[in-house]
Amino acid sequence: MKYLGIILDHKFTFKDHISYAAERCATLIHSLSRSAKVTWGIKHEALKTIYKGAILPLLLYGAPVWIDAMQYEYNQRKYIRVQRMINILTAKAFRTTSTEALCILAGITPIIIKAEEAAKMYHARKTKPSHSQEIDNTLDYKDWPHPADYPTITISEDNKSPIIQAYTDGSKSEHGVGSGAAIFIGTKIAAQIKFKLDKRCSNNQAEQLAIIKALESIDTLNTEESNPRTATVYTDSRLTIDSLRNPDNHAYLIEEIRRRVAKLQGANWKIEFSWVKAHAGIHGNELADKLAKEAARNEHTDVAFRRIPISTLYQEIQQESIQRWQKEWENCTKAAITKQYFPTVQERLKTKMRVTQNIAAMMTGHGKTRAYLHRFKILENATCPCEQGDQTIDHLLYQCTLLEPQRQKTKKNAIKAGHWPASKQQLITKHRDSFLTFLESIDFDNL
């Protein structure tokens, strides 16, 4: 039975669903392959976009439901086969290239790890937080305020000086996360506020918490009823102002700010918000920034806010996936040449390059080199036309005299930076541009 796009079998093994999704994607990739040849057609970047935008969502649809079925190897093989098909096209590689090397070369997370990551992200978003870990998620519908109770979010556009000016700021660094607010009545300082947040909180949360604390402080200030009760909150966070004005944004801190504004407006306060440029020499803003940094650095200050943003949890889950991928990459007994270029997964993901046929061949050892063709008995011998030895990857990179003119720029850069010959990892990290140009210049058909 097919229900909401998930195929259910009588034992709930989800074997049929996995087979269906794999076959559907395989058909799509076969159609795509007509326009994605090794030397022409759809390029690496476009294929990667198609994979992430069209094929991956089909493979991962409903992952939290069927992810337990991926513990069985026969189910894993179906998805790995599909990903291998698109990786061969994306990496412009030979079909003899190992699956592990293809993932590294294409810069695409192995599909089994990606499926588990998708399931973890779903549970992080939907599971109710524990006492030890609160999540700063969007409020449930039942907690939304009634539309009639929504406050008016006014942006100050005139130059009139309000009775109260509240400058707010947030700070996030390696020392921690802090919020600061400086409140003035006229030109005199009325209050200085600073609070510390959990180190996993974001800078936006710090900015928004500073506004909440400033509004709390305004509510406690002694002001005469007869005076016009006006206050302007100055912040350098455009994102916060835009979020407050967006009726579809129901984040916890945003709704808390709205609640505080509504309470003050009910007490005949006129609350306005204004954006100020950060670090522009404005005294109030600089003071708020100083208070926020002091709170962030003070290790003895109690943490006033612990709700972790969902984006931070997503990043942590992604890092777990990369660490698992790294462990599998280290334990892999194949792809020896590719490992010399990219011993760490993180290094590959940071390296921006357009993968072509030449680059794939030189980074995998599976290409038109004479050593490779001789290995599969296509040529009688592996000797390079320069007659200096067998035409291997190392020979072409460092020794072949026929490629000396193309190699000169990379060689000079390496000598300036240290020594020649440089390792394959150094070539792709320290001398990437000249090295990739060198690889592109190799004409295997005439070697």
Side-chain angles (χ1 to χ4, degrees):
M1 180 179 70
K2 189 174 184 180
Y3 181 71
L4 296 178
I6 304 291
I7 297 176
L8 307 174
D9 55 84
H10 69 290
K11 291 186 177 180
F12 289 92
T13 63
F14 298 101
K15 178 180 177 181
D16 292 330
H17 175 79
I18 292 172
S19 298
Y20 169 77
E23 289 169 10
R24 187 179 176 190
C25 290
T27 302
L28 178 60
I29 295 169
H30 278 306
S31 300
L32 194 63
S33 64
R34 299 172 188 171
S35 304
K37 300 301 182 182
V38 173
T39 56
W40 59 269
I42 305 175
K43 300 190 183 304
H44 167 81
E45 298 89 344
L47 285 167
K48 200 168 179 179
T49 301
I50 292 171
Y51 170 76
K52 290 182 177 180
I55 296 171
L56 193 59
L58 290 176
L59 291 173
L60 299 184
Y61 179 76
V65 176
W66 49 257
I67 191 62
D68 289 340
M70 277 298 172
Q71 61 183 307
Y72 301 106
E73 189 176 345
Y74 58 82
N75 284 330
Q76 293 181 11
R77 284 199 299 266
K78 296 172 186 176
Y79 268 32
I80 291 172
R81 171 180 167 271
V82 171
Q83 190 183 49
R84 177 179 172 81
M85 291 169 61
I86 189 65
N87 279 352
I88 288 173
L89 299 179
T90 304
K92 307 294 182 183
F94 275 44
R95 295 183 180 275
T96 53
T97 308
S98 69
T99 300
E100 294 83 359
L102 286 171
C103 285
I104 290 290
L105 202 58
I108 293 175
T109 307
I111 189 60
I112 307 304
I113 296 177
K114 194 67 179 177
E116 293 180 355
E117 177 186 302
K120 288 178 181 177
M121 286 186 173
Y122 173 84
H123 291 303
R125 187 171 67 253
K126 294 296 183 180
T127 304
K128 291 184 178 180
S130 62
H131 293 292
S132 60
Q133 178 173 280
E134 294 183 279
I135 300 173
D136 187 14
N137 216 337
T138 301
L139 294 181
D140 292 334
Y141 297 104
K142 60 183 178 64
D143 297 322
W144 292 5
H146 190 279
D149 297 330
Y150 262 61
T152 302
I153 303 299
T154 306
I155 307 302
S156 176
E157 295 178 351
D158 55 35
N159 295 322
K160 294 180 181 179
S161 298
I163 298 297
I164 295 178
Q165 303 173 52
Y167 291 89
T168 63
D169 204 356
S171 174
K172 181 178 175 69
S173 65
E174 66 276 8
H175 302 293
V177 186
S179 294
I183 300 174
F184 294 81
I185 297 179
T187 58
K188 295 182 179 180
I189 186 75
Q192 298 184 50
I193 309 167
K194 54 184 177 182
F195 289 92
K196 190 177 182 68
L197 292 79
D198 188 281
K199 63 181 180 181
R200 295 161 72 193
C201 289
S202 67
N203 187 67
N204 283 330
Q205 287 179 304
E207 299 269 5
Q208 292 161 15
L209 182 66
I211 294 175
I212 292 171
K213 298 301 183 181
L215 293 172
E216 285 181 1
S217 182
I218 291 172
D219 193 25
T220 62
L221 292 176
N222 294 321
T223 56
E224 296 181 9
E225 290 288 341
S226 59
N227 287 338
R229 308 182 83 185
T230 59
T232 299
V233 178
Y234 296 92
T235 175
D236 57 16
S237 173
R238 287 190 185 275
L239 178 63
T240 298
I241 294 177
D242 292 341
S243 298
L244 287 170
R245 302 182 73 183
N246 180 6
D248 296 325
N249 190 318
H250 298 283
Y252 172 79
L253 287 173
I254 294 299
E255 286 293 2
E256 186 66 17
I257 293 173
R258 289 175 181 148
R259 190 177 69 81
R260 301 281 178 183
V261 171
K263 181 181 178 183
L264 288 169
Q265 288 177 347
N268 297 321
W269 279 93
K270 181 182 178 182
I271 305 297
E272 294 185 341
F273 291 86
S274 179
W275 177 81
V276 293
K277 187 176 181 180
H279 307 298
I282 301 172
H283 175 63
N285 184 253
E286 295 296 336
L287 180 55
D289 179 63
K290 178 184 176 183
L291 292 169
K293 289 178 178 177
E294 287 177 357
R297 291 194 181 99
N298 195 334
E299 297 179 357
H300 304 292
T301 303
D302 293 334
V303 175
F305 188 83
R306 297 183 179 276
R307 286 177 175 261
I308 310 303
I310 193 68
S311 58
T312 297
L313 292 181
Y314 284 173
Q315 291 172 5
E316 291 174 356
I317 291 171
Q318 289 173 342
Q319 284 301 313
E320 288 177 7
S321 297
I322 291 174
Q323 289 171 8
R324 181 180 167 188
W325 187 5
Q326 178 64 39
K327 187 175 290 186
E328 290 186 1
W329 182 233
E330 291 172 355
N331 295 333
C332 174
T333 57
K334 305 174 184 177
I337 293 177
T338 309
K339 279 186 178 180
Q340 293 174 11
Y341 287 100
F342 301 109
T344 65
V345 172
Q346 195 72 52
E347 194 64 47
R348 169 61 188 100
L349 296 178
K350 289 192 298 184
T351 303
K352 295 181 179 180
M353 64 179 188
R354 182 171 66 88
V355 182
T356 62
Q357 181 189 19
N358 274 20
I359 291 173
M362 295 297 287
M363 290 189 176
T364 63
H366 293 254
K368 291 184 178 181
T369 62
R370 287 179 170 267
Y372 174 83
L373 298 175
H374 175 65
R375 173 185 166 194
F376 288 94
K377 304 187 185 325
I378 297 174
L379 294 179
E380 293 184 359
N381 62 75
T383 306
C384 183
C386 72
E387 299 182 352
Q388 299 296 316
D390 289 348
Q391 194 185 74
T392 62
I393 297 299
D394 283 354
H395 175 79
L396 291 173
L397 287 179
Y398 303 113
Q399 300 164 3
C400 183
T401 55
L402 300 177
L403 296 176
E404 189 62 28
Q406 298 96 311
R407 191 187 296 119
Q408 276 304 309
K409 187 174 182 180
T410 304
K411 191 173 180 179
K412 287 179 181 178
N413 290 342
I415 292 173
K416 286 181 181 178
H419 64 280
W420 179 264
S423 68
K424 295 184 180 68
Q425 183 183 6
Q426 290 174 334
L427 289 174
I428 195 61
T429 53
K430 297 182 179 180
H431 318 293
R432 181 182 59 196
D433 293 340
S434 61
F435 177 60
L436 293 179
T437 301
F438 165 54
L439 296 187
E440 285 291 279
S441 69
I442 299 175
D443 186 358
F444 285 102
D445 293 328
N446 294 318
L447 277 179

